Amino acid sequence: PGEPSKNSIVSRCAATATKDVSKMTRVYLLRLRHQLTSIRKRKLHPMMAEELLTVAFEGKDTLLPAERTGKLLNAVPSANVNEPERYIRDALTFWRSLEKFAEEIARERAGTLLDDHKRVKDASNDSGSYEVHPCLPVDLLGAYVLLPDEEAL
C-alpha cells in the first residue's frame, strides 16, 4: 500500500455525543518515534523508541492538561451524531494547522527521553553517551470529536 494522502481520513476516528464533555472537544492520539543512539567505546548503537500520547483541545483552541486527555478516550457515548464526517473533517483540518505544535511536543519528549537515559547511565556508573532525535512528522493515529449531547443533534 502507498502513503496516505494529506487529505485522507485516519483509520481511527469518530464523532461521539457524550455527557462527559460540556464543550466540543477534539482528542488526538499520536505516536511519537525517537532515534536513540548510544555511543560506547566510539561505537554507535542505534535504537528506536516509541510512545503513544494523547492531546486534546476543548472548544476552539484550549489545550487541555495532559492528565485529562487520556480519560477522554473512555468517554461513554450517549446519543447519535448527525453528520459525523463533518466533525471529523473539521478536526483533521484543525490538526493540520498544528504541525509546528506537534513537532515541539516531539522535541520536548525527545529531551525527556534523553534526560531519563542520562539518569539511568549516571545511576549505574555507565560510560558512554546518548543522543535522542525525534522522527518527524508526528504520526496521527486517531482523531476523535466529543460533543455534548445537545450539540450532536
Coordinates of all heavy atoms in Angstrom, one line a residue, residues 67-117:
E67 N -3.2 15.4 32.1 CA -3.9 14.4 33.0 C -5.4 14.2 32.6 O -6.0 13.2 33.0 CB -3.7 14.8 34.5 CG -4.3 16.2 34.8 CD -3.3 17.3 34.7 OE1 -2.1 17.1 34.2 OE2 -3.6 18.4 35.0
R68 N -5.9 15.1 31.9 CA -7.4 15.0 31.5 C -7.5 14.2 30.1 O -8.6 13.7 29.9 CB -8.0 16.3 31.4 CG -8.3 16.9 32.7 CD -9.2 18.1 32.6 NE -10.5 17.9 31.9 CZ -11.1 18.9 31.3 NH1 -10.7 20.2 31.4 NH2 -12.3 18.7 30.7
T69 N -6.5 14.3 29.3 CA -6.7 13.8 27.9 C -6.9 12.3 27.7 O -7.7 11.9 27.0 CB -5.5 14.3 27.0 OG1 -4.3 13.7 27.5 CG2 -5.4 15.8 26.9
G70 N -6.1 11.5 28.5 CA -6.3 10.1 28.4 C -7.7 9.6 28.8 O -8.2 8.7 28.2
K71 N -8.2 10.2 29.8 CA -9.6 9.8 30.3 C -10.6 10.1 29.2 O -11.7 9.4 29.2 CB -9.9 10.6 31.5 CG -9.0 10.3 32.7 CD -9.3 11.2 33.9 CE -8.2 11.0 34.9 NZ -8.3 12.0 36.0
L72 N -10.4 11.0 28.3 CA -11.4 11.4 27.3 C -11.6 10.2 26.3 O -12.6 10.1 25.7 CB -11.0 12.6 26.6 CG -11.1 13.9 27.4 CD1 -10.5 15.1 26.7 CD2 -12.6 14.2 27.8
L73 N -10.6 9.4 26.2 CA -10.7 8.2 25.2 C -11.7 7.2 25.8 O -12.1 6.3 25.0 CB -9.3 7.6 25.0 CG -8.3 8.4 24.2 CD1 -7.0 7.7 24.1 CD2 -8.9 8.7 22.8
N74 N -12.1 7.3 27.0 CA -13.1 6.4 27.6 C -14.4 7.0 27.8 O -15.3 6.5 28.5 CB -12.6 6.0 29.0 CG -11.3 5.1 28.9 OD1 -11.2 4.3 28.0 ND2 -10.4 5.3 29.8
A75 N -14.7 8.1 27.1 CA -16.0 8.8 27.1 C -17.1 7.8 26.7 O -16.9 7.1 25.7 CB -16.0 10.1 26.3
V76 N -18.2 7.9 27.4 CA -19.3 7.0 27.1 C -20.3 7.6 26.1 O -20.8 8.7 26.4 CB -20.0 6.6 28.4 CG1 -21.2 5.7 28.1 CG2 -19.1 5.9 29.4
P77 N -20.5 7.0 25.0 CA -21.5 7.6 24.0 C -22.9 7.6 24.6 O -23.3 6.7 25.4 CB -21.4 6.6 22.8 CG -20.2 5.9 23.0 CD -19.9 5.8 24.5
S78 N -23.6 8.7 24.3 CA -24.9 8.9 24.9 C -26.0 9.2 23.8 O -27.2 9.2 24.2 CB -24.9 9.9 26.0 OG -24.5 11.2 25.5
A79 N -25.6 9.5 22.6 CA -26.6 9.8 21.6 C -25.9 9.6 20.2 O -24.7 9.6 20.1 CB -27.1 11.2 21.7
N80 N -26.7 9.6 19.2 CA -26.2 9.6 17.8 C -25.7 11.0 17.4 O -26.3 11.9 17.9 CB -27.2 9.0 16.8 CG -27.5 7.5 17.0 OD1 -26.6 6.8 17.4 ND2 -28.7 7.1 16.7
V81 N -24.8 11.0 16.5 CA -24.3 12.3 16.0 C -24.8 12.4 14.5 O -24.5 11.5 13.7 CB -22.8 12.4 16.0 CG1 -22.2 13.6 15.4 CG2 -22.3 12.3 17.5
N82 N -25.4 13.6 14.2 CA -25.7 13.9 12.8 C -24.5 14.3 12.1 O -23.8 15.2 12.6 CB -26.8 14.9 12.7 CG -28.2 14.4 13.1 OD1 -28.5 13.2 13.0 ND2 -29.0 15.3 13.6
E83 N -24.3 13.8 10.9 CA -23.1 14.2 10.0 C -21.8 14.1 10.8 O -21.0 15.1 10.8 CB -23.3 15.6 9.5 CG -24.6 15.9 8.7 CD -24.6 17.3 8.2 OE1 -23.7 17.7 7.5 OE2 -25.6 18.0 8.5
P84 N -21.5 12.9 11.3 CA -20.2 12.8 12.0 C -19.0 13.1 11.1 O -18.0 13.6 11.6 CB -20.2 11.3 12.4 CG -21.2 10.6 11.5 CD -22.2 11.6 11.2
E85 N -19.1 12.8 9.8 CA -17.9 13.1 8.9 C -17.5 14.6 8.9 O -16.4 14.9 8.8 CB -18.3 12.7 7.4 CG -18.6 11.2 7.3 CD -20.1 10.9 7.5 OE1 -20.9 11.8 7.8 OE2 -20.4 9.7 7.5
R86 N -18.5 15.5 9.0 CA -18.2 16.9 9.1 C -17.3 17.2 10.3 O -16.4 18.0 10.2 CB -19.5 17.7 9.1 CG -19.3 19.2 9.3 CD -20.7 19.9 9.2 NE -21.6 19.6 10.2 CZ -21.8 20.3 11.3 NH1 -21.0 21.3 11.5 NH2 -22.6 19.9 12.2
Y87 N -17.7 16.7 11.4 CA -16.9 16.9 12.6 C -15.5 16.4 12.5 O -14.5 17.0 12.9 CB -17.6 16.4 13.9 CG -18.9 17.1 14.2 CD1 -20.1 16.5 13.9 CD2 -18.9 18.3 14.8 CE1 -21.3 17.1 14.2 CE2 -20.1 19.0 15.1 CZ -21.3 18.3 14.8 OH -22.4 19.0 15.1
I88 N -15.4 15.2 11.9 CA -14.1 14.5 11.8 C -13.2 15.3 10.8 O -12.1 15.6 11.1 CB -14.3 13.1 11.3 CG1 -14.9 12.3 12.4 CG2 -12.9 12.5 10.9 CD1 -15.5 10.9 12.0
R89 N -13.8 15.7 9.7 CA -13.0 16.5 8.7 C -12.5 17.9 9.3 O -11.4 18.3 9.1 CB -13.8 16.8 7.4 CG -14.0 15.6 6.6 CD -14.6 15.9 5.2 NE -15.0 14.7 4.6 CZ -14.3 13.7 4.1 NH1 -13.0 13.8 4.2 NH2 -14.8 12.6 3.6
D90 N -13.4 18.5 10.1 CA -13.0 19.7 10.8 C -11.9 19.5 11.8 O -10.9 20.3 11.9 CB -14.2 20.3 11.6 CG -15.2 21.0 10.6 OD1 -15.0 21.2 9.4 OD2 -16.4 21.3 11.1
A91 N -11.9 18.3 12.5 CA -10.9 18.0 13.5 C -9.6 17.8 12.7 O -8.5 18.1 13.2 CB -11.3 16.8 14.3
L92 N -9.6 17.1 11.6 CA -8.4 16.9 10.8 C -7.8 18.2 10.2 O -6.6 18.3 10.2 CB -8.7 15.8 9.7 CG -9.0 14.4 10.2 CD1 -9.4 13.5 9.1 CD2 -7.9 13.9 11.0
T93 N -8.7 19.0 9.8 CA -8.2 20.3 9.3 C -7.6 21.1 10.4 O -6.5 21.7 10.2 CB -9.4 21.2 8.7 OG1 -10.0 20.4 7.6 CG2 -9.0 22.5 8.3
F94 N -8.2 21.1 11.6 CA -7.6 21.7 12.8 C -6.2 21.1 13.1 O -5.2 21.8 13.3 CB -8.5 21.6 14.0 CG -8.0 22.3 15.2 CD1 -7.9 23.7 15.3 CD2 -7.5 21.6 16.3 CE1 -7.5 24.3 16.4 CE2 -7.1 22.2 17.4 CZ -7.0 23.6 17.5
W95 N -6.1 19.8 13.0 CA -4.8 19.1 13.3 C -3.7 19.6 12.3 O -2.6 19.8 12.7 CB -5.0 17.6 13.3 CG -3.7 17.0 13.5 CD1 -2.9 16.3 12.6 CD2 -2.9 17.0 14.7 NE1 -1.7 15.9 13.1 CE2 -1.7 16.3 14.5 CE3 -3.2 17.4 16.0 CZ2 -0.7 16.1 15.4 CZ3 -2.2 17.3 16.9 CH2 -1.0 16.6 16.7
R96 N -4.1 19.7 11.0 CA -3.0 20.1 10.1 C -2.5 21.5 10.4 O -1.4 21.8 10.0 CB -3.6 20.0 8.7 CG -3.7 18.6 8.2 CD -4.0 18.5 6.7 NE -5.4 18.8 6.4 CZ -6.4 18.0 6.4 NH1 -6.2 16.7 6.8 NH2 -7.6 18.4 6.1
S97 N -3.3 22.3 11.0 CA -2.8 23.6 11.4 C -1.8 23.6 12.6 O -1.2 24.6 12.9 CB -4.0 24.6 11.7 OG -4.5 24.3 13.0
L98 N -1.7 22.4 13.2 CA -0.9 22.3 14.4 C 0.4 21.6 14.2 O 1.0 21.1 15.1 CB -1.7 21.5 15.5 CG -3.0 22.2 16.0 CD1 -3.8 21.2 16.9 CD2 -2.7 23.5 16.7
E99 N 0.9 21.6 13.0 CA 2.2 20.8 12.7 C 3.3 21.3 13.5 O 4.1 20.5 14.1 CB 2.5 21.0 11.2 CG 3.7 20.2 10.8 CD 3.9 20.3 9.3 OE1 3.1 20.7 8.5 OE2 5.0 19.9 8.8
K100 N 3.5 22.6 13.7 CA 4.7 23.1 14.5 C 4.5 22.7 16.0 O 5.4 22.4 16.6 CB 4.8 24.6 14.3 CG 5.1 25.1 12.9 CD 6.5 24.7 12.5 CE 6.8 25.2 11.1 NZ 7.7 24.4 10.4
F101 N 3.2 22.8 16.4 CA 2.9 22.4 17.8 C 3.3 20.9 18.0 O 3.9 20.6 19.0 CB 1.4 22.6 18.0 CG 0.9 22.0 19.3 CD1 1.1 22.6 20.5 CD2 0.2 20.8 19.3 CE1 0.6 22.0 21.7 CE2 -0.3 20.2 20.4 CZ -0.1 20.8 21.6
A102 N 2.9 20.0 17.1 CA 3.2 18.6 17.2 C 4.8 18.4 17.2 O 5.3 17.6 17.9 CB 2.6 17.8 16.1
E103 N 5.5 19.1 16.3 CA 6.9 19.0 16.3 C 7.6 19.4 17.6 O 8.5 18.8 18.1 CB 7.5 19.8 15.1 CG 7.2 19.2 13.8 CD 7.7 20.0 12.6 OE1 8.3 21.1 12.9 OE2 7.4 19.6 11.5
E104 N 7.0 20.5 18.2 CA 7.5 20.9 19.5 C 7.3 19.9 20.6 O 8.2 19.6 21.4 CB 6.9 22.3 19.9 CG 7.5 22.9 21.2 CD 9.0 23.1 21.1 OE1 9.5 23.4 20.1 OE2 9.6 22.9 22.2
I105 N 6.1 19.2 20.6 CA 5.9 18.2 21.5 C 6.9 17.1 21.4 O 7.5 16.5 22.3 CB 4.4 17.6 21.4 CG1 3.4 18.6 21.8 CG2 4.3 16.3 22.1 CD1 2.0 18.1 21.5
A106 N 7.2 16.7 20.1 CA 8.1 15.6 19.8 C 9.5 16.0 20.3 O 10.2 15.1 20.9 CB 8.1 15.3 18.3
R107 N 9.9 17.2 20.1 CA 11.2 17.6 20.6 C 11.3 17.6 22.1 O 12.3 17.2 22.7 CB 11.6 19.0 20.1 CG 11.9 19.0 18.6 CD 12.4 20.4 18.1 NE 12.6 20.3 16.7 CZ 11.7 20.6 15.8 NH1 10.5 20.9 16.1 NH2 12.0 20.5 14.5
E108 N 10.2 18.1 22.8 CA 10.2 18.1 24.3 C 10.3 16.6 24.8 O 11.0 16.4 25.7 CB 8.9 18.7 24.8 CG 8.9 20.2 24.7 CD 7.6 20.8 25.1 OE1 6.8 20.1 25.8 OE2 7.3 22.0 24.8
R109 N 9.5 15.7 24.2 CA 9.5 14.3 24.6 C 10.9 13.7 24.4 O 11.4 12.9 25.1 CB 8.4 13.5 24.0 CG 7.0 14.0 24.3 CD 6.6 14.0 25.7 NE 6.7 12.6 26.2 CZ 6.8 12.3 27.5 NH1 6.9 13.2 28.4 NH2 6.9 11.0 27.8
A110 N 11.5 14.0 23.3 CA 12.9 13.5 23.0 C 13.9 14.0 24.1 O 14.7 13.2 24.5 CB 13.4 14.0 21.6
G111 N 13.7 15.3 24.5 CA 14.6 15.8 25.6 C 14.3 15.0 26.9 O 15.3 14.7 27.6
T112 N 13.1 14.7 27.2 CA 12.7 14.0 28.4 C 13.3 12.6 28.3 O 13.9 12.1 29.3 CB 11.2 13.9 28.5 OG1 10.7 15.2 28.7 CG2 10.8 13.1 29.8
L113 N 13.3 11.9 27.2 CA 13.8 10.6 27.0 C 15.3 10.6 27.2 O 15.9 9.8 27.8 CB 13.5 10.0 25.6 CG 14.0 8.6 25.3 CD1 13.4 7.6 26.2 CD2 13.6 8.3 23.8
L114 N 16.0 11.6 26.6 CA 17.4 11.8 26.8 C 17.8 12.0 28.3 O 18.7 11.3 28.8 CB 18.0 13.0 26.0 CG 19.5 13.3 26.1 CD1 20.3 12.1 25.6 CD2 19.8 14.5 25.3
D115 N 17.0 12.8 29.0 CA 17.3 13.0 30.4 C 17.1 11.7 31.2 O 17.9 11.4 32.1 CB 16.3 14.1 31.0 CG 16.6 15.5 30.4 OD1 17.7 15.7 29.9 OD2 15.7 16.4 30.6
D116 N 16.1 11.0 30.9 CA 15.9 9.7 31.5 C 17.0 8.7 31.3 O 17.5 8.1 32.3 CB 14.6 9.0 31.0 CG 13.3 9.8 31.5 OD1 13.4 10.6 32.4 OD2 12.2 9.5 30.9
H117 N 17.5 8.7 30.1 CA 18.7 7.8 29.8 C 19.9 8.3 30.6 O 20.7 7.4 31.0 CB 18.9 7.6 28.3 CG 18.1 6.6 27.7 ND1 16.7 6.7 27.5 CD2 18.4 5.3 27.4 CE1 16.2 5.6 27.0 NE2 17.2 4.7 26.9

